[in-house]
Every structure is written in C-alpha cells, then in structure tokens.
Amino acid sequence: DGESEDTSSEGSTEVELAQGITEDSIKIGTVAVQSGALSFIGAPYVAGMESYFKTINEDGGVNGRKIELIKKDDEFKPDKSVQAVESLIFDEEVFAIVGHLGTPGVVASQEIVKEEGIPSVYFGSGAVSLTKAGENFFPVQPNYLYEGKLMSKFAVEEFDAKNIVIMYQNDDVGNDGLDGFKDGLKELGEDSRLKAEVAFGGADTDFTVPIQKAKEQEPDLIILYGLSTGTAGILKGMENLGMTDVDTLTTYSNADASFLAVAAPGAPNAINNLHVMGWLEVTEESLQPLNDAMAKHFPDTPINAYTMAGWVAGETFVAGLEKAGDKLSWDGYIEAMNGLNYTDGLAAEISYSEGVREGVTQMSVSKVSESDGTYIFEQMTDFMEFK
Amino acid sequence: MLKIENIDAYYGFIHALKDFSINIEEGKIVTLLGANGAGKTSTLKVISGLLNPVKGSVTFNGENLLIYPPEKIVSMGIIQSPEGRQIFPQFTVEENLKAGAYTRKDKENIAKTLDKVYDYFPRLKERKKQYAGTLSGGEQQMLAIGRALMAKPKLLLLDEPSLGLAPLIVRDIFRIIEEINKEGTTILLVEQNAYQALSIADYGYILETGKVVSEGSAKELLGNSDIKKAYLGGN
Amino acid sequence: MTMINTVVIYSIAALGFNILLGYAGQISLGHAAFMGLGAYVSAYITNTLPDMGGLEYILGILLAGIVPLAIGLILGLIALRLEGHYLAIATLGFGVTIQQVFKEWTGFTNGFSGMNAKAINLFGISLRSRESFYIFSLVILVLLSIFSYNLIRSKIGRGLIAMRDSEHAAQAMGISLFKYKLIAFSLSAFYAGIAGGLYIHLIRFVEPNQWGVELSLNLLAMVVIGGLASILGSVLGAAFITVIPEILKEIPLIGEIRNFSMILTGVALILVIMFIPHGLSRITYKIKPLVKKTRRNKKLEDQEVV
Amino acid sequence: MAIFFQNIMAGLETGSLYALAALGLVLIFRTSDVINFAQGEMAMFSTFVAFTLFDGLGLSYPLAVIGALIFALLFGFIVERIFIRPASDASLVSKMIITLGLIMIIGGLASAIFGIDSYYFRQAISADSIDAAGVVVQPNALFIIAITLVIMAGLFYMINKTKVGIAIRATAQNEKTARLMGIPVFKVYSMSWIIATILGAIAGILMAPTTNVSTTMMAEVHLKSFIAAVLGGFGSFHGPVIGGLIIGILDNLVGMYISLTWKTVIVYGLLIVTLIVKPTGIFGKTHRKKV
Amino acid sequence: MNILTVKDLSISFGGLKAVDSLSFEVKQNSIYGLIGPNGAGKTTVFNCISRFYTPDEGEIIFRNDTKEHNLLEYKTYQVIEKGLVRTFQNVELVKTMTVLDNILIGLHSKTKGNIFTEGLRLPGVKKEEERVKDKVMKIIEFLGLTGLENHLAASQPYGIQKLIELGRTLVSEPKLIILDEPAAGMNHSETEELAKLIKRIRDELNITILLVEHDMSLVMEVCEKICVINFGKKIAEGSPLEIQENIEVQKAYLGGEEA
Ligand SMILES: Nc1ncnc2c1ncn2[C@@H]1O[C@H](COP(=O)(O)OP(=O)(O)OP(=O)(O)O)[C@@H](O)[C@H]1O
Ligand SMILES: Nc1ncnc2c1ncn2[C@@H]1O[C@H](COP(=O)(O)OP(=O)(O)OP(=O)(O)O)[C@@H](O)[C@H]1O
Ligand SMILES: [Mg+2]
Ligand SMILES: [Mg+2]
C-alpha cells in the first residue's frame, strides 16, 4: 500500500516520510525499454539518468540522502510497463517514478499512478494527455505535437518557406509531429504553404518514392519528422537522387552528434542543409558534466539525445528534491515542485505551478556545420515558444 | 559375409528382436520369412543402421557395423530397398535412380547400370520424367527396387519386393533377383511370398515374434511339413 | 499480480491456438491480429455504449470473440488452399495487414495514439483491482478450457485430429476439410479475441504496435513449449513465455547486464525443445526407464510433421 | 516517365536485397524444411563483424568483407551444430521455435558485444551515379543486382546439376531414405546452414549503407524476404529472386501511384490473393500426395 | 440390381490416359474384382468413384436401396453419407489415435452433435458417444480385434492396421465398400483369413464389395465377377474361371501358365 504518508498538519515541523525514504537514502524507480529492438532508445536514456544520480551521490547525495535507482525493463510493452510500475510502487515501495519511457506504457499506467498519487517526474513520451493527468505528474520534454506546432512557426518566421513538404515517419512519433505542424500552420493562418504530406516507414529500406513525391513539389523546406534511422535514410536517398540543396528541418530526437555520424557519410551534401529543433542548450560547456559522468560510469554507451533526456530527467527530479528539503512526503514533494523554476540544467527553463504541467515549451533551431570532417550542430535561433 | 549375433532390439518398450542371430554367406540368397510383426523389417533396419540393438554384434566381412551411421554402411556396399517403397516423391523417376547411385564413384558405369535397370523395368524407362509421387503403387515398387540396384551393392537387402506387383512382374522380380545374384551380389530377401522366395533362395530363416524359430537350406524348409502348413499354404 | 493476470489472458489465447496447431495441425503466424482485434472491439464498444450496468462489458467481451471469429473464417478459407510454410507466411502477411489496418483506420482504433478503456464494472462489482480481475478472467479460462476439453474428446475433436494426421482418410470418412478448417481457425480466433477483450480491460490501453509478428510468434512458442494438443500445456507455455524473462531480469547483478534476460530466455526456450521436445505438459513421459540407446532410431522413426 | 523508371530501378535494387536474404532462407528450407526465423539476426551479426573489421581494425573494405564471410562460414556451422542438430528429434514447429530462441540469443549478444548504436557502413562501389535519361542509376545498385543474379544462377546450377544438389533435394524429401541411399544428411544440413549464413552476410553488408549497421538493421528486409520466398515459391531459386524483385518494385509503384500509408496493406493483400490463386507461389510446383 | 454403374469413364494426367472409356457394373451383394497390370488405372478408378479425382468424362451412378446418386455431383466427404466407403492402397490411419478412436472416425458422418452441444457437453452428447462406441465395439468383435481397442493404431503390425482400416469402413454401415489391395503385405495364411472375412462381410453384413488385388488366390476365391483392365481399358470381364482362361489376360497380366 502506497498511502503510508500524509502531511499531518501545516504547522508541524516533523513530516512523516513517504515510502522509499530513509535517513540516508531515497529509493526511486524508472521504467524503460532495456532489451530488444528498441533498447537503442532506452539504454542511453537510462544511462544518462543513472550517471546523473551517480554524480549527485558522489557529491554526498541530496541533503545527505543517496539516491537509489531501481530500473525496470518493460520492453516497450504496455502490459509489462503496468506490471513494472506496480512492482515499483507496491513491492519496491519507491518514493517516486522518474523518467518513465515510452508512450504506450506511460499511458497504460497513467491511471494507477494517478490513483496512488505517487510523484512521477519526467516522461520519455510525447503523450499530450500527460499535461492534464494530475498534480502528481510532471512532464518535462516537449511533446511531439507541440514540437510540430513550433516547427511551423520556425518554418514561417525563420525560414520563410513558401513551399513546404513534410515527410513524416508513419507511426505515433511522426503522426503527432504531422498533426502538430498542421495545427500550427492553421493557427498561423499559413496552411497554404504546406504543399504535401509524405509518409515513410521508420524501418523502410527504400525511400525513393517519398523522396520523389517531395521532389515533385519543388519545396524550399522539407520537414523531416522521424527517428534517426528513417531520417538518415531519407537524407541518403535525397543525396542519391540529387536533392542536395533543399533546407531540411528535423525533430529534436535527432539533435545529437551520433545522428550526424550515421547520416552524414551517406549524404555528404544534403547534410549541409539540415536543421534540427532543440529544447536543450547543447554547448560544449553545458554538456561537460554529462560527458564527464558518462565517460566515468558508462563509457560504452553512446551519448545522444536520449542520454541528454535521461540526464534532464535526473536534474528535474533532484531539483524538486532539493527544494522539498526534509518535507519528503508525496504531498511535500509535489508542493515543492509546484514552485519550481529550474534554470541551471541542460534545459532552458523548467517550471511548474499549481494546475500547470506544460513542461518545456522553449525551443530553438540549430544548423549543421562541418569542420574538418566532423559535423556538429550550431544554434541558429533563439529559444522561442509557440504563442 | 554378414553376421548378426545375439542381438536384442527395441522400439521404446517393444522388444522387436530377441537374442537374434543370422548369418549370410557371400554370394548366396538368404531369405527371412515370418508372419506380420515377426521382426523381418527390424532385422534389415539393424543391418542398415536405422535401429541400434542394445546388445549383440553385427559384422560385415569381420568389421563391426554397429559403430557406423546408415550412410557409411551404404558406402561399404550394403543397400536396402525398404518397406513401404520410400521413393522420393518429388524426384522424377530418373532422379530417384540417380540418388540410388549416390555413393558410386565410377561415373561411366552408372549409365550402364541405369540402362540395365530400364531393361529390367521398361515401365520405368517410359516414365523416366514422371514425378515418382504420381506413379502407381506397383510402379513405385519397381522404382524402389531399381533404385537399390543402382548402387551396385555387395549385399542387397530387399524388403518384400513383390508387394503390390502384378503376377507377371512378380515372376520377373524373382528372375531378376536370381540374375543379379549370379553376377555376384549377395542378397537378403524378406518375403511374404514364401514359396517363391524359397524356390530361389539358398538358405532361409523362419521368424516368430522376434526370434529365429527355424532355419535351414531352402530345400529343407520347402520340404518341412510344418512350415508348409504355416507359410506356404496349399501351394 | 498484473503478470499473473496476463498469464491467464495469454493462456486463453494459447488454448485457442492449440486447437488450431495441436489438434487441427494448422499453423498461423498472424494470431496476434485477432487478439488485437478483440481488444479494439471491446474497447470501442464499452467506450461507445451507454452505461448499461455491466451488460456493455459482457457484450464487449463477447463481441471481442465473435468479430475475430468471423474474420477467422477468412484465414480458414486461405488455409483450404495453402499448406505448411505457405500457410505460415500467408497468415503472417495477414497479421501484418490487419496490424496495418489498426494503424491507419483511426476512426475505429484511434491509430497510433492508442485507445483507452475502462475497467470492467459488472452490475456494481468493479473489477478494478487486480485480484477481482484475476478471479473473473480465471473463471473465463476455466470455462473455455472445459469447452475445448469437451470438444476434443467428441466427434469434432476426432474430426480435427483425423484431418491433421491424414487429410485423405478424413475426407473419405465424411469429414469436410472445408468445414473443419473453418472451425479450427474461427474457434482459435474466437479464443484469441476473448483474450484480447480481457486484456484491454486489464491494461486499459491499446495501440497497434502490440499486435505484431512478435506476439504471434510468442503464441506459437507458448503452444509448442507447453505441449501440442494439451490444454494444460497451453497454460504452462503461456506462463513460461510470460514469466521466465521477468524472473531472469530479477536475478541480482547479472540481470542488469544488457539483454541478459533476453539471451537466457532464448537459451531456456531451446533447452526445453531439446530436452522436453513434446512440451512441458509431458515432462513426466520423458523419464522413461528404457535404454537411452534408441536415440539414433527415434530420430529417424518419428518424424512428426505439422 | 523518368519517375516511373526511377521507381523500377530502386525497386530492383531493394528487391535484389530481399532476394539475397530469401535465397539463404530457401536453401535451409529446402534441405531441412525448417523456416529459419533467425536468418535476419544472423545476417546482422555478420554485418557487424564486417563493420568492426573495417572500422575498428582498419582493414580494407574487401578484406573486411572476406573476413566477415569467413566468420559467417564458421557461424553457420556452429549454429547448426550446437542448436539445430541436437534437436533433430524435434518436430518442425519445434525447430521453428529454436530459431526464435536464436533470435533472442543472437540479438541479445549482438547488442551486448557491439552496442546498441547505429553506424554508417560504406557502399561496395562508391562510383558516381549515372544519369540515364533522367533516371539516376547507382553503380552500386547495378552491382547488387548483378551479384544477386550470379548467386541465384550458382545455386540453381548446384541444386539441379550436381550431385550435391541431388543430396540436398533428397534430404529434403525424406531424411531417413536419403541416409539409406548413402547420402550424408548431416553434412548436407551443415553445408546448407553455412551457405545460407554466408548469403545472409552478403545481403546484410550490401544492405548496410541504406539501413546502417545496427541490431535492427535486418528486421524489415527479413520480413520481406519471407514474403519474397513465398510469393515466388520455395521450390526454386529463381522464384524467390523474382518474388523479391516483384515486392521491391510493387512497393514503390503502389506507394507512388496509390497510397504510401496503405501500401503495406495493399502489397500484403496482393500476396495473399496471389497465394490463393497459386498456392505454392508464382513459380512453385504443386506436389500433391497421391491417394 | 446394380449397385454401382461406371459408364465411359475417362481421365488423363498430362498426356497420359490413365482410364480410357471404362464401363462396368457391380451387382448388389456381390463381390466384384478389378484387376490389371501395374499402372493399369485401378487405383485411379477408385479415386474417381470416391471423388478424390474428377474424371474428364463419364458417369458414376450409385444406387442405395431405391435412390440413385450421380456421384459426380458430390464432394469427397459426402460420398460416405450415400453409403459408399473405401480403404487406401497405403494404409491411412490416424497414427496418434487408439484403435477404437480410429474406427470411431468411420462413424463421423453418423454421429450427431455440433460445436455447441459438444463443447457444452449437453446431455445428449454422452449418450451419443456411448451409442457410437457400442457400435464400434461390435465391429471390433466382428473383426476379432477385441482387446486391442485401447492400443495405439500406429504400433500395430501391418496386417492389423489393414483390419482397422477395414473396420473403419464397416462401422458406417455402408452398402458398398471398395478395397484397394487388401491383401498386400500379407502372407498366405493371413490372406486366407482375409478371404473368409470378406465373404462374411458380404453375407453377414450385406455389404457389396468392389476390390482391387494382385493376389490371384484371393481374387479367384472370393470374386464372383472380375473385370480386367490394361492401359485404362477393359480387356476382359467374366467369372474367375473365364478370366483365368482368357489368353489376352494371361499375356498381359497373369503371365502364362503360372497363376
Ligand atoms: N516404429 C515402430 N515403433 C514401434 N513398434 C514397432 C515399430 N516398427 C515395428 N514395430 C514393432 O516391432 C515388431 C517387429 O516389427 P517388424 O516391422 O520388424 O516386423 P515384420 O516382420 O517386418 O512385419 P511385416 O510383415 O508387417 O512387415 C512388431 O511388433 C511391430 O509392431
Ligand atoms: N497424378 C498423376 N499424375 C501423373 N500420372 C499419374 C497420376 N496418377 C496416376 N498416374 C499414372 O496413371 C497410371 C494409373 O495409375 P493407378 O495408380 O491407377 O494404377 P494401378 O492400376 O492402381 O496400379 P498398381 O497396381 O500398380 O497400383 C499410372 O501409370 C500412373 O503412373
Ligand atoms: Mg516388414
Ligand atoms: Mg493401385
């Protein structure tokens, strides 16, 4: 049973500690895919989170308490995810769930998390419903719908594109991005700039058709909404079919060097016009702690957008912890989070207040730049919101 | 040439051969007779290495056969035309015959043997391009025998070769068996058609429920009144 | 607890699959689609219908079986023309196709965003808690087991087995392959659909990616590992495939190594096939006192073909 | 018109890769009736080996490829020996389950050894593309198509014209009788697994520039190769190749002229219809058991 | 009265004419033999009658009591309902079933029940199961297989398997059974037993028998009328004596003096 805590009365100094909290430790849990085909998402993600907690622990923990992370592998399956969340709440009796990854699992276990009232911080999911799920839910990363929307704003305002083609990966990620992008254009009253919506498969082996469909429109901007493999495939296909001088803009999921390492060699020209969305301030300096921690604890795990996401999950949770001080009941933590305005981390700003659970809404656009053979992203615009 | 001594063989719990011994001399035709389920087929399986006895010995020209897998035994010159024909249904007639000659190295002579088999069974020659699975029952039987002949074996094991054949062909079969025996192939013949089998055989064994109950030269057996009653009927 | 519940649910699907594979000798690599269909149907119905006090859930689960049953007839028709591997791949293609329809037919399935469903509430008794759901689904499992047990030891069961072992003899004895293949496919689709219908009210969320080839192959593995043509086997197989990976993940230290549980699950699967080739439910037969020597022949004698 | 031919050209290239993967599948199937679900996983593993030799050890491309093929040879041999042969008692579905187990083991090992990241692996031939009347033709694509045809012809010759071919086909029909004819069936199994693994490695290496080297690189190709084999017919080698080409081309034409989002439904629907009309695939022969 | 009339039956495979305008008639309650060299088309004729093949031309009329059935109008599995059953040249049993269950399959078309009554095991089902089992036990007794009913069919010797297959046809109370080489693989004394059994089937169960067989001792002993075919054509028809003396039959099939 998870209802072991209860803030007794406001006046009292002694707060009854919630489950998972002892004098010198805080037990929390995470659920993410760790094995199978999708482990390329979950593994760096969890490593990023864990390396953050390890760093914190090495510095003495939070208010003298070390963070103990219980990891559950749900294989990206909703039933296993529910199972894992249950086990974390009832068997492991964790204090909070941090960084639950994967929309199906997150949505499927939403009800039980809400029912128990356990704080759940950061979701590796673009599910829109999370912003309205309840006071104990703390989404952080922008959802794909929102990102899509914001992309339309950049497309219109920064690129000033007249003929836009959106190529989207035909799955939950891509469809959300597509919907958001269309919504955004509509709100801006610029629907007519979108000339074509072209679907592609994330695991496709031949991208000739979608690229030709895009080419027919003679676009001046292509929105590439898909995960790394498919997006890299499209870029290579564009290179092969001679479509190397069109601007392209892709999602923050691809905003990392390892994506470029895969995409650039096969598309040496097309890659130069690639732009990417970003919600994190990725400068060499801001990434330094992450890079150091990863090199120390997970030298074999790639550092990419997923790793950074995991790191931010850790940052956000700990920020709340620090603010809550010794009021480590669930309500105490939620209360502390409600006044959070965290700006020291990778993300520009993370803030919550009562009833507001928007997560990060500020994003910027970066452009690929090359210096002697290695490609990196360079921030090109300021952080903006869709408003 | 081939000696089986005191073997016991099982299928799971079923004791198929019990303290079983036979001896086949080079150049002879030896026949195994007995009712259904007596163990005739099991004997052939033991020789070919398809059934491993739990005790006893099987030797071929003094060499222990029990340590070899079936395919090795074939290459030593022992081939079988098995019960139930077991032709390769998706091979043509000719491919089946070629499969029979698989272990042979003397390429030129294979063609000669093929001609000979076609001589023995003109029907097979007519149908050499037909898929074996669509042959009639009797045609398949001819093919199974022909395929074994293709190996030019030292010892030929025939399991009920006359099964499903028309009377005219049955007569041919026994003639062919005698003929190849004269050319030097030793033969172990399992037959229901006891009378005909004994008429061409040199020596015979009578089996009952996995045991040899009687043996002797073919002549002796043909003359034995008990055997006459049990296996030869009114013939 | 959710895990035990999923074992019960997969047992139901495996039970139906066993009728198909174990008794009728027909293979399908697309059965996940039926389970998914059942889930969507029940979700759709219980979300659309007004509160009828609980009737809507019964209706939902029933239709979760009946709609796949009807679609299963199509597979039966395919099976009439195809055998063995061709059937396997055709059904695999069928499964992928249906899954694709789940993705694209957003009006019914809400596409990639997935669909939520309510917990069952039967005439005032809520099956929200895992325990009450367990009792409910267990009752259904038992009822369906009895149904298939009855079936296989009477005329229809004999007809299916006869068809499996010799289509020629079956036809000559008056068994219509047409009818019996349709029976086998639609019945197994029915079971899978019911399982899907239960699943949706347990997990309360459904999305298209769950109902792919992997689940279909898992169903196959459950039935084979548990034991073909065995009701107990279906349950054991479902438990094996569901529980083993989770147990392996819990092993301290090594469970943490990336993909270790996956590798070990694979090894466990193979070991079961090698040492208990006829399935977990027949584990006792394996301990035969008789000579080990017959191995070489056994290999050659019983070449079972499904 | 150029667009149409561009689609055909691309379809031929991808179709060839499906075909290559399918040939390995068909070879194993034809010797032992086993559907090897792990074919794609094994191909992925071999490709990782090639990539590691190339990128990690710095071997030249041809040397890395040769090294990977040698690895594939051993790999196929070992898999057959350790996992398949000891289960020769088991029924065919059981063997299918073994290959499912292999997917988990090989997939799991691959990410444990090579990690979960994706890597770019170069094309076999990196010459500039040729423009033929508006159709972009990649020399690498021509190379892939050619290699597929050569391998198909080689297998065709082996199976239909050589003694090994007789052994393979006889083993497939009836292992027991094949042994009674003196055919060393275990060598045949071993050999077919080895060749199939090598074919998979070739397909994987040629696929890598498109899908990148990663643990999931073969998922789609593998599925398509099944469909190719069944569509063309398991009974021959030209069948799967033509099946692969048809799927490659059809995928593109349906995507281009009908619908990108519904193309999977349409293409698989066509597959099922084709099978109902021609139950053993386009080039398959029906061998009905005689009553 | 003729129970079976085959008229101008023809079928070919590729270029091969397996059965060529063949006509013959089988009298009710008789034992009729169909013989001929290997590959003459006997099994093919049987396959046409039992509807495994559809002939290119010709008619097959089966008379059950007063009703006439044009068999070509029916599907394979419907033939048994009309009162006609067959055995197979290569024994086709359900290997994993007991002797009893195998014979029960013969009663399939005469067992009541559907998926609901059986799945729910409604009251009638148990009774029906008992009824059909009784019938099977009677046949088992008739064939002298008592005691074997719960043994696995596949582990029985070949001769017994053939009897089980015979039992499976008899249990459906047919009017006509067609037997493809029932004596193949049997030795002399077993064949004699079989001859007696075939006669008993006709006399005690009133079943007409059409059989294909290469064992001349059996054919000559039991058949009243014999039809000889070669290359799918009828070359002779008559009593056993007439057939044995027919020169053409001797040349094509029997092989001179040796019979
Ligand atoms: N594969 C098997 N599994 C179980 N029992 C078997 C098997 N093969 C044969 N038997 C049993 O072994 C015994 C000997 O059988 P075998 O086949 O050697 O007899 P046979 O003399 O060849 O008879 P037939 O004249 O019927 O061919 C019989 O009791 C038979 O039932
Ligand atoms: N499906 C088929 N395709 C091609 N030829 C066939 C097919 N079925 C039968 N045949 C041929 O037709 C002829 C008649 O075959 P059938 O089986 O009727 O002979 P049968 O009289 O029963 O001979 P047997 O006494 O040897 O069993 C044979 O020559 C056979 O090869
Ligand atoms: Mg025998
Ligand atoms: Mg015949």
Side-chain angles (χ1 to χ4, degrees), chain A residues 43-53 290 294 298 306-307 310-311:
Chain A
Y45 175 81
V46 172
M49 192 177 348
E50 207 173 0
S51 67
Y52 183 76
F53 292 135
L290 167 62
M294 285 296 286
F298 300 100
Y306 304 121
T307 328
W311 180 270

Side-chain angles (χ1 to χ4, degrees), chain D residues 219-286:
Chain D
E220 179 78 7
V221 185
H222 183 49
L223 194 64
K224 290 279 173 61
S225 71
F226 275 125
I227 308 288
V230 166
L231 182 67
F234 263 107
S236 64
F237 287 114
H238 57 281
V241 170
I242 295 173
L245 298 180
I246 289 177
I247 289 181
I249 293 171
L250 208 59
D251 245 352
N252 282 353
L253 293 186
V254 172
M256 191 73 207
Y257 299 108
I258 303 179
S259 160
L260 265 176
T261 39
W262 287 93
K263 91 175 173 192
T264 316
V265 173
I266 295 169
V267 171
Y268 284 76
L270 281 175
L271 162 86
I272 294 172
V273 172
T274 313
L275 283 181
I276 291 175
V277 178
K278 194 92 183 28
T280 49
I282 300 174
F283 298 95
K285 287 183 218 136
T286 353

Side-chain angles (χ1 to χ4, degrees), chain A residues 304-316:
Chain A
N304 53 29
Y306 304 121
T307 328
M308 297 176 212
W311 180 270
V312 176
E315 284 182 340
T316 314

Side-chain angles (χ1 to χ4, degrees), chain A residues 260 274-276 282 364-371 375-381:
Chain A
L260 290 176
L274 180 70
H275 304 73
V276 68
V282 265
S364 68
V365 171
S366 305
K367 187 179 192 310
V368 166
S369 86
E370 192 225 290
S371 63
Y375 293 84
I376 51 161
F377 286 116
E378 265 179 15
Q379 193 170 331
M380 182 179 109
T381 70

Side-chain angles (χ1 to χ4, degrees), chain C residues 185-250:
Chain C
F185 274 94
S186 50
L187 205 59
S188 64
F190 177 80
Y191 276 57
I194 295 281
L198 286 173
Y199 178 94
I200 182 68
H201 295 296
L202 172 70
I203 305 298
R204 293 179 233 155
F205 177 73
V206 57
E207 48 100 34
N209 286 320
Q210 294 167 259
W211 315 109
V213 181
E214 189 190 344
L215 178 60
S216 290
L217 294 179
N218 270 347
L219 282 178
L220 177 75
M222 286 175 196
V223 171
V224 176
I225 288 281
L228 287 175
S230 154
I231 289 175
L232 175 66
S234 309
V235 179
L236 290 178
F240 183 95
I241 298 289
T242 317
V243 176
I244 291 285
E246 300 309 312
I247 293 180
L248 290 172
K249 278 178 204 159
E250 296 303 322

Side-chain angles (χ1 to χ4, degrees), chain B residues 10-13 45 49-52 54 66 68-69, chain C residues 288-298 300-301:
Chain B
Y10 291 86
Y11 297 96
F13 294 105
K45 283 187 182 166
L50 292 175
L51 177 62
N52 258 12
V54 293
L66 290 179
Y68 294 123
Chain C
K288 274 188 208 156
L290 257 183
V291 270
K292 194 91 186 94
K293 278 256 180 126
T294 47
R295 243 185 86 89
R296 192 175 89 182
N297 336 302
K298 243 192 85 217
L300 299 161
E301 295 298 332

